Amino acid sequence: MIFAVSDDLSWRVGWTAEGWNLQTGQSVDLEMYFDGSGPYRVTAKATSPRLVLAELAGTTAIFDAFRKGYVLTVRTLGNKYAFNL
């Protein structure tokens, strides 16, 4: 999992997985759960066969969920991935 903040203060989160074989530009729907709460639904774009990036809304709700959460679970492409925050 990676985070990026642009100079215009927009922010993105990305994920990579060895088993993915995506087409660059492909849209990927994701569901994010913070400590079991959610889902927060986002659409990511594949920037390479194994990397997707999702632009996140500039709201305090999603930022606080990342900041206060302990475990992020992401469901996408028929799989579930867990990340300690």
Side-chain angles (χ1 to χ4, degrees):
M1 182 168 59
I2 58 172
F3 289 94
V5 179
S6 300
D7 52 351
D8 66 356
L9 299 181
S10 63
W11 64 302
R12 293 168 189 80
V13 62
W15 296 272
T16 185
E18 286 292 319
W20 292 349
N21 188 21
L22 305 169
Q23 297 294 317
T24 299
Q26 178 180 342
S27 292
V28 177
D29 293 326
L30 298 109
E31 292 181 343
M32 298 185 296
Y33 297 83
F34 296 89
D35 302 329
S37 296
Y40 292 84
R41 291 182 173 91
V42 296
T43 300
K45 292 280 186 189
T47 60
S48 76
R50 292 182 180 86
L51 174 66
V52 296
L53 291 174
E55 180 113 10
L56 297 177
T59 64
T60 57
I62 191 79
F63 182 77
D64 282 346
F66 272 103
R67 189 170 60 86
K68 295 178 181 177
Y70 292 98
V71 176
L72 168 65
T73 303
V74 176
R75 291 184 184 183
T76 189
L77 300 170
N79 294 298
K80 182 169 76 169
Y81 306 92
F83 302 90
N84 291 323
L85 298 174

